[in-house]
Amino acid sequence: MIARMVVGLVLTVLVLAVAGRRAWWLYKLISSGQPAHDRTDQLGARLRTQFVEVLGQRKLLKWSIPGLAHLFTMWAFIILLTVYIEAYGALFDEKFAIPIIGHWAALGFLQDFIAFMVLVSLVVFTVIRIRQAPERRQRESRFYGSHTGPAWFILFMIFNVVWTLFFFRAVSSAAGNSPYTSGAWISIGLGVPFEGLSHTTLFILETVGLMLHIGVMLAFLIIVLYSKHLHIFVAPINVAAKRLPKGLGPLLPMESGGKPIDFEDPGEDDTFGRGKIEDFTWKGMLDFATCTECGRCQSQCPAWNTGKPLSPKLVIMDLRDHLFAKAPYLIGGKDMPEEGAVEVAGNADAHGHGVPESGFGRVTGSGEEQAARPLVGTLEAGGVIDPDVLWSCTSCGACVEQCPVDIEHVDHIIDMRRHQVLIESEFPSELSVLFKNLENKGNPWGQNAKDRLEWTKGLDFEVPVFEGELSDDTEYLFWVGCAGAYDDNAKKTVKATAELLHRAGVGYVVLGPEETCTGDPARRSGNEFVFQMLAQQNVEVLNTVFEGREPGKRKIVTTCPHCLNTLGREYPQLDGHYEVVHHTQLLNKLVREGKLVPVAAPEGGTDVTYHDPCYLGRHNGVYEEPRELVGAAGAKLTEMPRHADRSMCCGAGGARMWMEEHIGKRVNLARTEEALATEAKQIATGCPFCRTMLTDGLTEKQSEGASEDVEVLDVSQMLLASVKRGDPSTNGNSNGKAHSPEPAEPAEPAEPAKSGDSEN
């Protein structure tokens, strides 16, 4: 007894010393990041995330089979703590039992059950990793670029934890030392073959089992702290520090040293964006350390799925590895090399994580080259993140939506873009035209402000224009947006919306020439200066328009999800507070109130598939209203395999609308092909940019002789057509009789999800 007690305690003290040293090193490294505010407020909401996302594994359970396996494994780490309490107690007293609950049969049953489910989960994980082996499936595997060798070793270590647990408990049961005479069904059953052995033999076997069980756990602790499975400890912290309500929607304002940058008079030492790894906040560094390398983000990324070099997973892994490699200069006391003193050259033959899409491996080690290398740069410059990776992002948010540990990929990518644009002046050449048009003309197209009302021509009713003061019967400001004013297809959407508002008797006005781009494309492309200029101008105009109106009555409706997001969720950063709704939300409300009465076509509903705009769906959580309108219009909805929160981007977000695609397949063409595979005759959406991208994709397919009878249109056009089928004497209005639109009954997806999107 004394020998095993001494050995067990000495091993434990030594391992805890090593683990503590590593934990302190990680704490110092992550704490060296820049300040991050608003990460400890709303404690109630943050506590709920621990129950929902950590203990409840909500995000992981979106992928049901691996999610359940991970749920059992995670809970095993918690429940089996009681087994290790018993194990350490057995070092002192071979008949030790946890006080009060130690003899409960229910506890023994739970311990054995969860350990058994871990074995089942290990089988599931093994099958998944074999099926998704990157050696065989290459880029189609979500584990492509991940450290698969260490992952297999972790599964082996978990297996060792379980078998040593059952071995120790079985021998303990046979020796009569187990605290459970019933309940621990597996342990008791496995102990039966040992019952005929002598007391001395059982004591030796029990000691061997006990020391193996404790030893495996201690080895596992060290392995976890030095591997990507560090997430076991830091993921709950990262989830607790997440952006609320989620890491999508508004971008965070630019800060330097934890303080907002004054763009009218910036400080001489202000840091613009992230130009070096140490420019990231502590939350960013915590993100990097938390990555599980699961590849869910990679499997959903539209850039990755169309042959681009951007993998959100590899971006985070590269930043993490660079952070760890540069640690001696950040917290180890080493002096940073002077600028230009070290010549950095990337190694074309070296690939971080064994894949060419990863940039970290271009420069190895923790020497001066690692400290001096650029954060964003080409292969020749030894950049950690390649420019082609940085500029492939559409900011669709699929990575953030799927990440089980709440890493904020989009924020980090945009922050690096900000530095490239504002400090390095390094960005795709097409953006020069965008920036010039936004600065000089107030819209991406470079059109004149006086033409913003051209879309109203040809309407058989007058569109009211703001003339200095809102009347009492004006409920909404209709924000037309640049696309609605200048793009021919988008004009059809705003015309249909305006007519529906007119038919429903909704009081609204438009700004006309007073309207300016919200600044969304400037901000997503990293040009925060232009965004601030446009946003401040718009906030001044809107505050004047709504002067005298109390909160709750400063209502804006728009057909553009990007405008919706910027006006409603980013302008509060500049003291612009408005109640902004998407036109599908307002139109759905009007149908429910009976102010619009859609009538289905007598020949039956058209087959329609609906494309979820990223900035309406994932970024702002609007999924049901557009679908309900499709159903109200009498159409039959056929969902694409990727829809709702897993919808694939059209390719226009992140200012990609204004950049050419030079690598891989065009994102819009891939999405169009997915829509056409449903065999629907109409592709509906609720975003002018999605409509443009899908129309371009459809035009390309039709030029090849395919799908010539298919059209792309906005949900508002479908609704208007169905309303016009009603009695014209009522002007499409049921005189207040309530009507609840029936949601479209979704059909089965036209084809199974692609292998890169499967749960496995």
Side-chain angles (χ1 to χ4, degrees), residues 541-591:
V541 169
L542 290 171
N543 285 347
T544 300
V545 170
F546 290 118
E547 187 173 6
R549 287 210 170 183
E550 63 271 20
K553 293 187 177 181
R554 300 157 67 92
K555 298 180 181 180
I556 300 175
V557 60
T558 181
T559 60
C560 176
H562 297 264
C563 295
L564 167 80
N565 185 68
T566 306
L567 292 168
R569 303 190 65 190
E570 295 188 334
Y571 279 14
Q573 298 170 4
L574 289 85
D575 201 29
H577 302 278
Y578 320 106
E579 295 76 45
V580 189
V581 297
H582 191 247
H583 69 298
T584 58
Q585 293 175 291
L586 178 56
L587 295 176
N588 189 61
K589 177 175 176 285
L590 295 174
V591 171

Short mmCIF file of all heavy atoms in Angstrom, two decimals, residues 541-591:
data_model
loop_
_atom_site.label_atom_id
_atom_site.label_comp_id
_atom_site.label_asym_id
_atom_site.label_seq_id
_atom_site.Cartn_x
_atom_site.Cartn_y
_atom_site.Cartn_z
N VAL A 541 -27.57 62.10 -41.89
CA VAL A 541 -28.80 62.26 -42.68
C VAL A 541 -29.97 61.57 -41.99
O VAL A 541 -31.06 62.15 -41.84
CB VAL A 541 -28.60 61.70 -44.10
CG1 VAL A 541 -29.94 61.63 -44.84
CG2 VAL A 541 -27.62 62.55 -44.89
N LEU A 542 -29.77 60.31 -41.54
CA LEU A 542 -30.86 59.56 -40.94
C LEU A 542 -31.31 60.16 -39.61
O LEU A 542 -32.52 60.18 -39.30
CB LEU A 542 -30.43 58.10 -40.73
CG LEU A 542 -30.26 57.28 -42.02
CD1 LEU A 542 -29.63 55.93 -41.72
CD2 LEU A 542 -31.60 57.09 -42.73
N ASN A 543 -30.38 60.65 -38.82
CA ASN A 543 -30.76 61.29 -37.56
C ASN A 543 -31.57 62.55 -37.81
O ASN A 543 -32.46 62.90 -37.03
CB ASN A 543 -29.52 61.60 -36.73
CG ASN A 543 -28.94 60.36 -36.08
OD1 ASN A 543 -29.57 59.31 -36.04
ND2 ASN A 543 -27.72 60.47 -35.57
N THR A 544 -31.28 63.22 -38.90
CA THR A 544 -32.07 64.40 -39.28
C THR A 544 -33.47 63.98 -39.73
O THR A 544 -34.47 64.60 -39.37
CB THR A 544 -31.37 65.17 -40.41
OG1 THR A 544 -30.08 65.60 -39.97
CG2 THR A 544 -32.19 66.39 -40.82
N VAL A 545 -33.53 62.91 -40.53
CA VAL A 545 -34.82 62.41 -41.01
C VAL A 545 -35.72 62.02 -39.85
O VAL A 545 -36.92 62.34 -39.82
CB VAL A 545 -34.61 61.20 -41.95
CG1 VAL A 545 -35.95 60.53 -42.26
CG2 VAL A 545 -33.93 61.64 -43.24
N PHE A 546 -35.15 61.33 -38.87
CA PHE A 546 -35.95 60.81 -37.76
C PHE A 546 -35.96 61.75 -36.55
O PHE A 546 -36.36 61.34 -35.46
CB PHE A 546 -35.42 59.44 -37.32
CG PHE A 546 -35.67 58.34 -38.31
CD1 PHE A 546 -34.62 57.68 -38.92
CD2 PHE A 546 -36.97 57.98 -38.65
CE1 PHE A 546 -34.84 56.66 -39.82
CE2 PHE A 546 -37.21 56.96 -39.56
CZ PHE A 546 -36.15 56.29 -40.15
N GLU A 547 -35.55 62.96 -36.75
CA GLU A 547 -35.50 63.91 -35.64
C GLU A 547 -36.89 64.07 -35.01
O GLU A 547 -37.89 64.27 -35.70
CB GLU A 547 -35.00 65.27 -36.12
CG GLU A 547 -34.75 66.26 -35.00
CD GLU A 547 -34.11 67.54 -35.50
OE1 GLU A 547 -33.96 67.70 -36.73
OE2 GLU A 547 -33.76 68.38 -34.66
N GLY A 548 -36.94 63.92 -33.70
CA GLY A 548 -38.20 64.05 -32.99
C GLY A 548 -38.94 62.74 -32.83
O GLY A 548 -39.94 62.69 -32.10
N ARG A 549 -38.47 61.69 -33.49
CA ARG A 549 -39.12 60.38 -33.35
C ARG A 549 -38.39 59.56 -32.29
O ARG A 549 -37.17 59.40 -32.34
CB ARG A 549 -39.12 59.62 -34.68
CG ARG A 549 -40.11 60.19 -35.67
CD ARG A 549 -40.63 59.12 -36.60
NE ARG A 549 -41.74 59.60 -37.40
CZ ARG A 549 -42.42 58.86 -38.26
NH1 ARG A 549 -42.11 57.59 -38.42
NH2 ARG A 549 -43.42 59.37 -38.95
N GLU A 550 -39.18 59.03 -31.36
CA GLU A 550 -38.59 58.27 -30.28
C GLU A 550 -38.19 56.88 -30.77
O GLU A 550 -38.68 56.41 -31.80
CB GLU A 550 -39.56 58.15 -29.11
CG GLU A 550 -40.84 57.40 -29.40
CD GLU A 550 -41.95 58.31 -29.93
OE1 GLU A 550 -41.64 59.42 -30.41
OE2 GLU A 550 -43.12 57.89 -29.87
N PRO A 551 -37.28 56.22 -30.06
CA PRO A 551 -36.90 54.85 -30.42
C PRO A 551 -38.13 53.96 -30.52
O PRO A 551 -39.06 54.06 -29.73
CB PRO A 551 -36.00 54.42 -29.26
CG PRO A 551 -35.44 55.69 -28.73
CD PRO A 551 -36.53 56.72 -28.90
N GLY A 552 -38.14 53.09 -31.52
CA GLY A 552 -39.28 52.23 -31.78
C GLY A 552 -40.09 52.72 -32.96
O GLY A 552 -40.88 51.98 -33.53
N LYS A 553 -39.88 53.99 -33.33
CA LYS A 553 -40.60 54.56 -34.47
C LYS A 553 -39.64 55.09 -35.53
O LYS A 553 -40.04 55.80 -36.44
CB LYS A 553 -41.53 55.68 -34.01
CG LYS A 553 -42.68 55.19 -33.14
CD LYS A 553 -43.67 56.29 -32.84
CE LYS A 553 -44.86 55.77 -32.03
NZ LYS A 553 -45.86 56.82 -31.74
N ARG A 554 -38.37 54.72 -35.38
CA ARG A 554 -37.35 55.11 -36.38
C ARG A 554 -37.14 53.90 -37.30
O ARG A 554 -36.11 53.26 -37.27
CB ARG A 554 -36.07 55.53 -35.67
CG ARG A 554 -36.28 56.71 -34.72
CD ARG A 554 -35.20 56.78 -33.64
NE ARG A 554 -33.88 57.10 -34.14
CZ ARG A 554 -33.38 58.33 -34.24
NH1 ARG A 554 -34.12 59.37 -33.88
NH2 ARG A 554 -32.16 58.54 -34.69
N LYS A 555 -38.16 53.61 -38.09
CA LYS A 555 -38.21 52.35 -38.83
C LYS A 555 -37.66 52.50 -40.25
O LYS A 555 -37.97 53.47 -40.96
CB LYS A 555 -39.64 51.84 -38.90
CG LYS A 555 -40.26 51.53 -37.54
CD LYS A 555 -41.69 51.02 -37.70
CE LYS A 555 -42.33 50.73 -36.35
NZ LYS A 555 -43.71 50.24 -36.51
N ILE A 556 -36.87 51.50 -40.64
CA ILE A 556 -36.31 51.44 -41.99
C ILE A 556 -36.59 50.05 -42.55
O ILE A 556 -36.45 49.04 -41.85
CB ILE A 556 -34.78 51.69 -41.98
CG1 ILE A 556 -34.46 53.07 -41.40
CG2 ILE A 556 -34.19 51.54 -43.38
CD1 ILE A 556 -32.97 53.33 -41.25
N VAL A 557 -37.00 49.99 -43.81
CA VAL A 557 -37.15 48.72 -44.51
C VAL A 557 -36.23 48.76 -45.72
O VAL A 557 -36.09 49.79 -46.38
CB VAL A 557 -38.61 48.46 -44.94
CG1 VAL A 557 -39.12 49.54 -45.87
CG2 VAL A 557 -38.74 47.08 -45.59
N THR A 558 -35.58 47.64 -45.99
CA THR A 558 -34.66 47.58 -47.12
C THR A 558 -34.74 46.21 -47.78
O THR A 558 -35.09 45.22 -47.13
CB THR A 558 -33.21 47.87 -46.68
OG1 THR A 558 -32.34 47.84 -47.81
CG2 THR A 558 -32.74 46.86 -45.64
N THR A 559 -34.41 46.17 -49.06
CA THR A 559 -34.41 44.90 -49.80
C THR A 559 -33.03 44.26 -49.81
O THR A 559 -32.88 43.15 -50.33
CB THR A 559 -34.86 45.11 -51.26
OG1 THR A 559 -33.96 46.02 -51.89
CG2 THR A 559 -36.27 45.68 -51.31
N CYS A 560 -32.04 44.93 -49.24
CA CYS A 560 -30.66 44.44 -49.29
C CYS A 560 -30.21 43.97 -47.92
O CYS A 560 -30.14 44.77 -46.97
CB CYS A 560 -29.72 45.55 -49.80
SG CYS A 560 -27.98 45.05 -49.79
N PRO A 561 -29.89 42.70 -47.75
CA PRO A 561 -29.43 42.20 -46.45
C PRO A 561 -28.16 42.88 -45.96
O PRO A 561 -27.94 43.00 -44.76
CB PRO A 561 -29.20 40.71 -46.70
CG PRO A 561 -30.10 40.38 -47.84
CD PRO A 561 -30.07 41.60 -48.72
N HIS A 562 -27.31 43.31 -46.89
CA HIS A 562 -26.08 44.00 -46.49
C HIS A 562 -26.41 45.36 -45.88
O HIS A 562 -25.81 45.77 -44.88
CB HIS A 562 -25.14 44.14 -47.68
CG HIS A 562 -24.68 42.82 -48.25
ND1 HIS A 562 -23.48 42.24 -47.90
CD2 HIS A 562 -25.28 41.96 -49.11
CE1 HIS A 562 -23.36 41.08 -48.54
NE2 HIS A 562 -24.45 40.89 -49.28
N CYS A 563 -27.35 46.05 -46.47
CA CYS A 563 -27.82 47.32 -45.90
C CYS A 563 -28.52 47.07 -44.57
O CYS A 563 -28.34 47.82 -43.60
CB CYS A 563 -28.78 48.02 -46.86
SG CYS A 563 -28.02 48.54 -48.42
N LEU A 564 -29.32 46.01 -44.50
CA LEU A 564 -29.99 45.62 -43.26
C LEU A 564 -28.99 45.46 -42.14
O LEU A 564 -29.16 45.99 -41.03
CB LEU A 564 -30.76 44.32 -43.49
CG LEU A 564 -31.29 43.59 -42.25
CD1 LEU A 564 -32.58 44.24 -41.78
CD2 LEU A 564 -31.52 42.11 -42.54
N ASN A 565 -27.93 44.74 -42.40
CA ASN A 565 -26.92 44.45 -41.40
C ASN A 565 -26.15 45.70 -40.99
O ASN A 565 -25.91 45.94 -39.80
CB ASN A 565 -25.94 43.40 -41.94
CG ASN A 565 -24.94 42.94 -40.91
OD1 ASN A 565 -25.28 42.30 -39.93
ND2 ASN A 565 -23.68 43.29 -41.12
N THR A 566 -25.80 46.52 -41.97
CA THR A 566 -25.00 47.71 -41.68
C THR A 566 -25.82 48.77 -40.97
O THR A 566 -25.40 49.33 -39.94
CB THR A 566 -24.40 48.28 -42.98
OG1 THR A 566 -23.68 47.24 -43.67
CG2 THR A 566 -23.45 49.43 -42.67
N LEU A 567 -27.01 49.07 -41.49
CA LEU A 567 -27.86 50.10 -40.88
C LEU A 567 -28.31 49.70 -39.48
O LEU A 567 -28.28 50.52 -38.56
CB LEU A 567 -29.09 50.33 -41.76
CG LEU A 567 -28.88 50.99 -43.12
CD1 LEU A 567 -30.15 50.87 -43.95
CD2 LEU A 567 -28.47 52.44 -42.97
N GLY A 568 -28.70 48.45 -39.34
CA GLY A 568 -29.31 48.04 -38.08
C GLY A 568 -28.33 47.59 -37.02
O GLY A 568 -28.61 47.73 -35.82
N ARG A 569 -27.16 47.09 -37.45
CA ARG A 569 -26.28 46.46 -36.46
C ARG A 569 -24.88 47.08 -36.39
O ARG A 569 -24.15 46.81 -35.44
CB ARG A 569 -26.19 44.96 -36.75
CG ARG A 569 -27.57 44.29 -36.75
CD ARG A 569 -27.47 42.80 -36.78
NE ARG A 569 -26.85 42.27 -35.58
CZ ARG A 569 -26.47 40.99 -35.45
NH1 ARG A 569 -26.65 40.15 -36.46
NH2 ARG A 569 -25.92 40.57 -34.33
N GLU A 570 -24.51 47.87 -37.39
CA GLU A 570 -23.20 48.52 -37.34
C GLU A 570 -23.30 50.02 -37.07
O GLU A 570 -22.41 50.60 -36.43
CB GLU A 570 -22.42 48.25 -38.62
CG GLU A 570 -22.08 46.79 -38.79
CD GLU A 570 -21.15 46.49 -39.94
OE1 GLU A 570 -21.11 47.28 -40.91
OE2 GLU A 570 -20.44 45.47 -39.89
N TYR A 571 -24.36 50.66 -37.54
CA TYR A 571 -24.50 52.09 -37.30
C TYR A 571 -24.66 52.46 -35.83
O TYR A 571 -24.31 53.58 -35.44
CB TYR A 571 -25.64 52.67 -38.14
CG TYR A 571 -25.23 52.95 -39.58
CD1 TYR A 571 -24.05 52.43 -40.10
CD2 TYR A 571 -26.02 53.74 -40.41
CE1 TYR A 571 -23.68 52.68 -41.41
CE2 TYR A 571 -25.65 54.00 -41.73
CZ TYR A 571 -24.48 53.47 -42.22
OH TYR A 571 -24.11 53.73 -43.52
N PRO A 572 -25.17 51.56 -34.96
CA PRO A 572 -25.16 51.90 -33.54
C PRO A 572 -23.76 52.21 -33.00
O PRO A 572 -23.62 52.92 -32.01
CB PRO A 572 -25.75 50.65 -32.87
CG PRO A 572 -26.68 50.10 -33.91
CD PRO A 572 -25.98 50.34 -35.21
N GLN A 573 -22.73 51.69 -33.67
CA GLN A 573 -21.35 52.01 -33.27
C GLN A 573 -21.04 53.48 -33.50
O GLN A 573 -20.10 54.02 -32.89
CB GLN A 573 -20.36 51.15 -34.06
CG GLN A 573 -20.51 49.65 -33.83
CD GLN A 573 -19.68 48.82 -34.80
OE1 GLN A 573 -18.92 49.36 -35.61
NE2 GLN A 573 -19.81 47.50 -34.73
N LEU A 574 -21.84 54.16 -34.36
CA LEU A 574 -21.65 55.57 -34.66
C LEU A 574 -22.84 56.40 -34.18
O LEU A 574 -23.14 57.46 -34.72
CB LEU A 574 -21.44 55.79 -36.17
CG LEU A 574 -20.12 55.30 -36.75
CD1 LEU A 574 -20.19 53.81 -37.11
CD2 LEU A 574 -19.74 56.10 -37.99
N ASP A 575 -23.55 55.87 -33.19
CA ASP A 575 -24.70 56.55 -32.60
C ASP A 575 -25.87 56.68 -33.58
O ASP A 575 -26.62 57.65 -33.54
CB ASP A 575 -24.31 57.93 -32.06
CG ASP A 575 -25.30 58.44 -31.02
OD1 ASP A 575 -25.92 57.60 -30.34
OD2 ASP A 575 -25.48 59.67 -30.91
N GLY A 576 -26.01 55.69 -34.43
CA GLY A 576 -27.17 55.65 -35.32
C GLY A 576 -28.05 54.47 -34.94
O GLY A 576 -27.71 53.32 -35.23
N HIS A 577 -29.16 54.75 -34.29
CA HIS A 577 -30.00 53.68 -33.73
C HIS A 577 -31.36 53.66 -34.44
O HIS A 577 -32.15 54.60 -34.30
CB HIS A 577 -30.19 53.88 -32.24
CG HIS A 577 -28.89 53.91 -31.48
ND1 HIS A 577 -28.23 52.78 -31.09
CD2 HIS A 577 -28.12 54.96 -31.07
CE1 HIS A 577 -27.12 53.10 -30.45
NE2 HIS A 577 -27.03 54.42 -30.42
N TYR A 578 -31.59 52.60 -35.21
CA TYR A 578 -32.82 52.50 -36.00
C TYR A 578 -33.36 51.07 -35.92
O TYR A 578 -32.62 50.13 -35.62
CB TYR A 578 -32.54 52.86 -37.47
CG TYR A 578 -31.58 54.03 -37.61
CD1 TYR A 578 -30.26 53.84 -38.01
CD2 TYR A 578 -32.00 55.32 -37.29
CE1 TYR A 578 -29.38 54.90 -38.11
CE2 TYR A 578 -31.12 56.40 -37.38
CZ TYR A 578 -29.81 56.17 -37.78
OH TYR A 578 -28.92 57.23 -37.86
N GLU A 579 -34.65 50.93 -36.20
CA GLU A 579 -35.28 49.61 -36.25
C GLU A 579 -35.36 49.21 -37.72
O GLU A 579 -36.21 49.73 -38.45
CB GLU A 579 -36.68 49.63 -35.63
CG GLU A 579 -36.68 49.93 -34.13
CD GLU A 579 -36.45 51.40 -33.82
OE1 GLU A 579 -37.06 52.27 -34.48
OE2 GLU A 579 -35.63 51.70 -32.93
N VAL A 580 -34.48 48.32 -38.12
CA VAL A 580 -34.33 47.99 -39.54
C VAL A 580 -34.87 46.58 -39.79
O VAL A 580 -34.53 45.64 -39.06
CB VAL A 580 -32.86 48.08 -39.98
CG1 VAL A 580 -32.76 47.94 -41.50
CG2 VAL A 580 -32.24 49.39 -39.52
N VAL A 581 -35.73 46.44 -40.80
CA VAL A 581 -36.27 45.14 -41.17
C VAL A 581 -36.03 44.88 -42.65
O VAL A 581 -35.90 45.81 -43.46
CB VAL A 581 -37.78 45.02 -40.87
CG1 VAL A 581 -38.05 45.15 -39.39
CG2 VAL A 581 -38.58 46.05 -41.66
N HIS A 582 -35.94 43.61 -42.98
CA HIS A 582 -35.83 43.21 -44.38
C HIS A 582 -37.22 43.22 -45.01
O HIS A 582 -38.22 43.02 -44.33
CB HIS A 582 -35.23 41.80 -44.46
CG HIS A 582 -34.82 41.39 -45.84
ND1 HIS A 582 -35.46 40.38 -46.52
CD2 HIS A 582 -33.85 41.85 -46.66
CE1 HIS A 582 -34.88 40.22 -47.70
NE2 HIS A 582 -33.90 41.11 -47.81
N HIS A 583 -37.27 43.46 -46.31
CA HIS A 583 -38.58 43.57 -46.95
C HIS A 583 -39.39 42.28 -46.83
O HIS A 583 -40.62 42.32 -46.74
CB HIS A 583 -38.44 44.00 -48.42
CG HIS A 583 -37.84 42.97 -49.33
ND1 HIS A 583 -36.57 42.48 -49.19
CD2 HIS A 583 -38.35 42.35 -50.44
CE1 HIS A 583 -36.32 41.61 -50.15
NE2 HIS A 583 -37.38 41.51 -50.92
N THR A 584 -38.72 41.12 -46.80
CA THR A 584 -39.48 39.88 -46.64
C THR A 584 -40.13 39.80 -45.26
O THR A 584 -41.21 39.22 -45.12
CB THR A 584 -38.58 38.66 -46.86
OG1 THR A 584 -37.49 38.69 -45.93
CG2 THR A 584 -38.03 38.62 -48.28
N GLN A 585 -39.49 40.37 -44.25
CA GLN A 585 -40.08 40.39 -42.91
C GLN A 585 -41.32 41.26 -42.88
O GLN A 585 -42.36 40.89 -42.32
CB GLN A 585 -39.06 40.90 -41.89
CG GLN A 585 -37.87 39.98 -41.68
CD GLN A 585 -36.83 40.58 -40.76
OE1 GLN A 585 -36.16 41.55 -41.11
NE2 GLN A 585 -36.69 40.03 -39.57
N LEU A 586 -41.22 42.45 -43.47
CA LEU A 586 -42.37 43.36 -43.48
C LEU A 586 -43.50 42.82 -44.34
O LEU A 586 -44.68 42.86 -43.94
CB LEU A 586 -41.93 44.74 -43.99
CG LEU A 586 -43.03 45.80 -44.11
CD1 LEU A 586 -43.78 45.99 -42.79
CD2 LEU A 586 -42.46 47.12 -44.61
N LEU A 587 -43.16 42.28 -45.51
CA LEU A 587 -44.20 41.75 -46.40
C LEU A 587 -44.90 40.55 -45.75
O LEU A 587 -46.11 40.39 -45.89
CB LEU A 587 -43.59 41.36 -47.75
CG LEU A 587 -43.03 42.52 -48.58
CD1 LEU A 587 -42.38 42.00 -49.85
CD2 LEU A 587 -44.12 43.54 -48.92
N ASN A 588 -44.15 39.74 -45.07
CA ASN A 588 -44.76 38.60 -44.36
C ASN A 588 -45.73 39.09 -43.29
O ASN A 588 -46.82 38.53 -43.11
CB ASN A 588 -43.66 37.75 -43.73
CG ASN A 588 -44.19 36.44 -43.18
OD1 ASN A 588 -44.72 35.61 -43.91
ND2 ASN A 588 -44.05 36.25 -41.88
N LYS A 589 -45.36 40.15 -42.60
CA LYS A 589 -46.23 40.74 -41.58
C LYS A 589 -47.51 41.28 -42.22
O LYS A 589 -48.62 41.10 -41.69
CB LYS A 589 -45.47 41.86 -40.87
CG LYS A 589 -46.28 42.64 -39.84
CD LYS A 589 -45.35 43.63 -39.12
CE LYS A 589 -46.13 44.51 -38.14
NZ LYS A 589 -46.93 45.54 -38.83
N LEU A 590 -47.37 41.91 -43.37
CA LEU A 590 -48.55 42.47 -44.04
C LEU A 590 -49.49 41.37 -44.53
O LEU A 590 -50.72 41.53 -44.49
CB LEU A 590 -48.10 43.34 -45.22
CG LEU A 590 -47.30 44.60 -44.85
CD1 LEU A 590 -46.79 45.29 -46.10
CD2 LEU A 590 -48.17 45.56 -44.02
N VAL A 591 -48.93 40.25 -44.97
CA VAL A 591 -49.77 39.12 -45.38
C VAL A 591 -50.51 38.56 -44.17
O VAL A 591 -51.72 38.27 -44.23
CB VAL A 591 -48.93 38.04 -46.07
CG1 VAL A 591 -49.76 36.78 -46.31
CG2 VAL A 591 -48.37 38.56 -47.39
#
